[in-house]
């Protein structure tokens, strides 16, 4: 009978241990529920790691007021520039994981930059929690209006024979414009002078003024200056022409099929941001992207709003995971 008493005592101890082990979870569940019910209780900030007026800033200022409507709190855009967007991105990675600091990152800050900076200071797939993909963006090869080439073939011939006298504008090492034209320059085996700016907003001003020769930039920054013919485009680095600039040929049509680049913008939160907060933020982005105040200007400027099934955190996590090795490979300088 002793064994029965021992077995009963063990069962009771196991029950007590299970209750003790579960206590933090029980405590956590009300905390999580309370957090979700009270969040957000103050304004949020959306870091844009590039200068005002550039494509990232434009997208951020399209979605932030619509996110605010869903969240019931202002979403304040904060431009923190420098180092190809990596300074602002690092600031976001180091922010408190409380759901009040977000970043609008992109293919540069959350993929290509890893291949370009040995000591980046953050890991896109570890130091951030994906919230949602916001836009996919074709990339165009653009030039100042007076650049002495009428098409891509003439551009290629000219830059190969004048590479020590031409310059290419970009938004810093790690940016979309830097990575995209680095890819192009590798393909053409040229190494022109790079002229960095704090974003392709100011870089576009220099291109329009004829102070720089060419640039690879996201379509939302190029559509209006192209329509007013203050710059020109030789190709869109995608599989198809873009309906917002139908006369611009694809790089493949223009004889350079290897020049294929697609940029994207996405919202990220610092790692350890609670899942219930991420769910609230994701819903706010999903709703914002369905509103005409976002869709019409975004599409009108050549951006592609992802369908609903592409707006989940899991889809964004998978995109970052696939882009990291892709850009590491793409930006490797081909062996001489
Ligand atoms: N997206 C950056 C900007 O908005 C430019 C870049 O990444 O090249 O300025």
């Amino acid at each position: 009978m002793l064994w029965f008493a021992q077995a009963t005592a063990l069962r009771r101890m196991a029950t007590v241990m299970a209750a003790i082990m579960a206590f933090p979870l029980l405590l956590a569940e009300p905390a999580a529920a309370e957090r979700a019910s009270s969040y957000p209780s103050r304004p949020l900030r959306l870091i844009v790691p590039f200068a005002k007026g550039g494509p990232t800033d434009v997208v951020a200022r399209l979605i932030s007021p619509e996110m605010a409507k869903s969240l019931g709190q202002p979403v304040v855009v904060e431009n923190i520039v420098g180092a190809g967007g990596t300074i602002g991105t690092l600031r976001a990675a180091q922010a408190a994981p409380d759901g009040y600091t977000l970043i609008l990152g992109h293919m540069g800050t959350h993929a290509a930059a890893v291949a370009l900076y040995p000591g980046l200071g953050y890991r896109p797939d570890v130091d951030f929690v994906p919230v949602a993909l916001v836009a996919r963006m074709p990339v165009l090869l653009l030039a100042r209006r007076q650049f002495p080439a009428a098409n891509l073939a003439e551009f290629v011939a000219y830059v190969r024979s004048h590479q020590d006298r031409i310059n290419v504008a970009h938004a810093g090492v790690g940016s979309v414009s830097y990575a995209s034209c680095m890819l192009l320059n590798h393909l053409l085996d040229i190494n022109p002078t790079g002229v960095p700016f704090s974003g392709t907003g100011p870089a576009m001003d220099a291109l329009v003024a004829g102070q720089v020769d060419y640039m690879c930039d996201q379509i939302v920054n190029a559509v209006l200056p192209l329509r007013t013919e203050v710059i020109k485009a030789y190709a869109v680095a995608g599989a198809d022409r873009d309906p917002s600039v139908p006369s611009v040929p694809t790089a493949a049509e223009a004889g350079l099929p290897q020049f294929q680049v697609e940029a994207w913008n996405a919202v990220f939160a610092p790692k350890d941001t609670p899942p219930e907060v991420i769910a609230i933020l994701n819903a706010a982005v999903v709703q914002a992207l369905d509103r005409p105040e976002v869709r019409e200007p975004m599409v009108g400027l050549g951006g592609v709003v992802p369908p609903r099934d592409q707006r989940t955190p899991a889809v964004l996590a998978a995109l970052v995971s696939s882009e990291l090795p892709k850009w590491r490979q793409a930006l490797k300088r081909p062996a001489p």
Side-chain angles (χ1 to χ4, degrees):
M1 290 302 283
L2 177 60
W3 62 267
F4 181 75
Q6 284 169 334
T8 306
L10 277 174
R11 245 196 323 277
R12 283 203 187 109
M13 196 186 301
T15 307
V16 169
M17 286 303 293
I20 291 170
M21 297 288 283
F23 183 69
L25 283 178
L26 293 173
L27 198 62
E29 277 156 15
E34 182 194 339
R35 198 164 35 220
S37 66
S38 63
Y39 171 82
S41 57
R42 56 187 165 86
L44 289 78
R45 67 175 179 156
L46 178 61
I47 293 177
V48 166
F50 296 99
K52 286 184 171 57
T56 307
D57 189 63
V58 164
V59 172
R61 294 178 194 277
L62 284 176
I63 64 171
S64 55
E66 298 309 316
M67 286 177 67
K69 283 180 193 167
S70 301
L71 294 167
Q73 289 290 344
V75 177
V76 180
V77 173
E78 185 177 347
N79 301 80
I80 301 177
V81 305
T86 58
I87 288 175
T89 306
L90 184 59
R91 187 80 60 80
Q94 296 166 339
D98 56 10
Y100 289 100
T101 300
L102 305 173
I103 181 164
L104 186 61
H106 67 13
M107 167 274 265
T109 58
H110 282 74
V114 174
L116 294 162
Y117 285 96
L120 186 54
Y122 65 85
R123 296 153 297 174
D125 53 343
V126 173
D127 295 314
F128 289 93
V129 178
V131 174
L133 180 65
V134 168
R136 289 184 180 275
M137 297 272 178
V139 169
L140 275 66
L141 172 55
L142 307 166
R144 61 184 171 81
R145 188 173 49 171
Q146 302 300 332
F147 193 83
N151 55 46
L152 184 58
E154 289 181 18
F155 170 84
V156 170
Y158 188 88
V159 295
R160 278 178 167 157
S161 54
H162 298 78
Q163 64 171 300
D164 54 347
R165 278 168 281 160
I166 56 167
N167 58 48
V168 54
H170 58 77
V173 176
S175 62
V176 163
S177 48
Y178 182 88
S180 304
C181 261
M182 185 175 187
L183 189 64
L184 175 71
N185 296 341
H186 282 181
L187 289 173
L188 304 183
D189 193 20
I190 60 172
N191 192 18
T193 302
V195 182
F197 293 82
S198 56
T200 49
M204 182 58 76
D205 295 341
L207 192 70
V208 169
Q211 294 159 352
V212 290
D213 289 313
Y214 70 101
M215 175 163 76
C216 299
D217 198 12
Q218 296 157 83
I219 194 164
V220 295
N221 201 30
V223 167
L224 297 182
L226 283 172
R227 283 189 187 148
T228 50
E229 298 183 359
V230 292
I231 61 169
K232 56 188 174 184
Y234 292 122
V236 55
D240 307 303
R241 293 193 178 207
D242 191 280
S244 58
V245 284
S247 64
V248 180
T250 64
E253 287 174 302
L256 196 61
Q258 317 94 303
F259 186 40
Q260 293 283 327
V261 180
E262 185 185 64
W264 42 269
N265 284 107
V267 176
F268 296 88
K271 74 176 177 184
D272 299 332
T273 301
E276 61 275 9
V277 168
I278 296 293
I280 292 169
L281 291 168
N282 175 268
V285 176
V286 168
Q287 290 156 20
L289 293 177
D290 282 340
R291 295 200 181 113
E293 294 85 347
V294 173
R295 298 183 70 87
E296 285 169 16
M298 182 93 83
V299 173
L301 290 172
V304 178
V305 176
R308 272 191 165 241
D309 64 353
Q310 295 288 312
R311 300 177 201 169
T312 65
V315 164
L316 179 53
L319 177 63
V320 171
S321 297
S322 66
E323 290 272 284
L324 286 168
K326 179 180 133 187
W327 279 99
R328 201 174 287 117
Q329 183 56 36
L331 296 180
K332 264 187 190 154
R333 183 96 192 165

